[in-house]
Amino acid sequence: AFVHAFHVLTFDQRGSGLSDKPDAPCTMAMLADDTAALMDHVGFSSAHILGVSMGGMIAQEFALRHPHKTRSLVLGCTTPGGPNAVPLPASEFAKAYSTKEMSAEERGRALAEACFTKGYIEQHPEVIPAMIESRRRRPIDPVALSHRMKAVQTHDTFDRLPQISCPTLVITGKDDVLIPWENSQLIASRIPGAQLVVLEPAGHIFWGEQPEPSQKAMLSFLQQQ
């Protein structure tokens, strides 16, 4: 959606996708520094940083640790973490991001049911087999996932968010059952001048359920920077 207007770089973070999955602790700071190092490697002196969910947590840390590399920030369906955040529902996370061995069928179905609203799944039942196939092609490594989930549990930017000075858009779905939308409201209230967009109806994968409003909001924001 952005390649016609921007030079876009996407990648799999350490411990996910096709990247290495070391059996070693990781933190949001480490993952943010990985991003900065990759930018240096490909020759990006600065960039608009867009992250959703855990990527949004990393993006917050990136903007705090590497402000001169951050032109602007788009934070999707994410949380500031720590005791001031609205807690993540343990039951939903346990189903979708269990660190136990799960078949592609089990993992894909759990993720689809956690990430999309029931109404959307009823109208688009194909999302479940698509998610299952995605997990079959890129299985989640339980050991690496365990390290990543520990990084999520220790994430906390609440007190530092007012230090972010770049233009920021915070966007989420009102019906997100994985990361309650109020966390986006909280983030936007803590970052000076941040804009907040709440899409409804939309679950965790708000850009899938509301593609046109999502793209319009993000492109409009980015093109103003």
Side-chain angles (χ1 to χ4, degrees):
F2 303 117
V3 293
H4 68 281
F6 296 94
H7 187 182
V8 178
L9 172 66
T10 63
F11 63 98
D12 292 338
Q13 301 150 15
R14 74 164 73 195
S16 69
L18 299 179
S19 289
D20 289 347
K21 302 174 182 64
D23 183 4
C26 73
T27 64
M28 293 299 172
M30 183 186 294
L31 294 167
D33 290 348
D34 282 351
T35 307
L38 178 59
M39 286 175 61
D40 289 341
H41 180 71
V42 300
F44 284 16
S45 59
S46 64
H48 304 287
I49 305 299
L50 190 159
V52 299
S53 195
M54 183 177 177
M57 302 176 207
I58 298 166
Q60 294 168 57
E61 197 67 52
F62 181 93
L64 289 162
R65 294 175 66 84
H66 305 280
H68 298 300
K69 290 182 177 290
T70 312
R71 293 188 192 180
S72 71
L73 198 57
V74 178
L75 302 173
C77 58
T78 192
T79 174
N84 294 292
V86 179
L88 311 186
S91 60
E92 298 299 335
F93 248 90
K95 293 176 191 173
Y97 294 100
S98 172
T99 55
K100 297 178 181 178
E101 288 281 358
M102 295 175 71
S103 67
E105 170 82 25
E106 293 170 322
R107 180 80 71 183
R109 182 174 294 277
L111 282 167
E113 291 175 347
C115 290
F116 293 97
T117 59
K118 290 181 180 179
Y120 186 82
I121 291 176
E122 288 173 359
Q123 294 176 12
H124 302 272
E126 69 277 6
V127 300
I128 292 179
M131 192 73 85
I132 291 170
E133 179 57 27
S134 177
R135 295 283 64 81
R136 186 171 287 120
R137 285 187 285 108
R138 292 191 178 194
I140 292 177
D141 178 78
V143 174
L145 178 63
S146 176
H147 291 304
R148 289 169 59 77
M149 289 301 98
K150 288 176 182 175
V152 169
Q153 291 163 9
T154 56
H155 166 67
D156 185 356
T157 56
F158 182 86
D159 289 337
R160 294 177 290 147
L161 287 176
Q163 299 172 23
I164 294 177
S165 58
C166 67
T168 302
L169 171 67
V170 186
I171 183 168
T172 194
K174 187 71 174 285
D175 309 294
D176 192 337
V177 298
L178 281 178
I179 300 181
W181 75 274
E182 291 91 346
N183 284 300
S184 290
Q185 189 177 46
L186 190 60
I187 291 171
S189 72
R190 298 283 295 167
I191 299 176
Q195 302 175 35
L196 175 65
V197 173
V198 181
L199 301 167
E200 188 177 9
H204 194 59
I205 302 184
F206 62 85
W207 63 94
E209 294 197 39
Q210 296 280 0
E212 291 183 8
S214 297
Q215 291 174 24
K216 182 178 179 181
M218 289 187 277
L219 277 172
S220 175
F221 168 77
L222 292 170
Q223 289 171 337
Q224 291 173 26
Q225 309 313 319

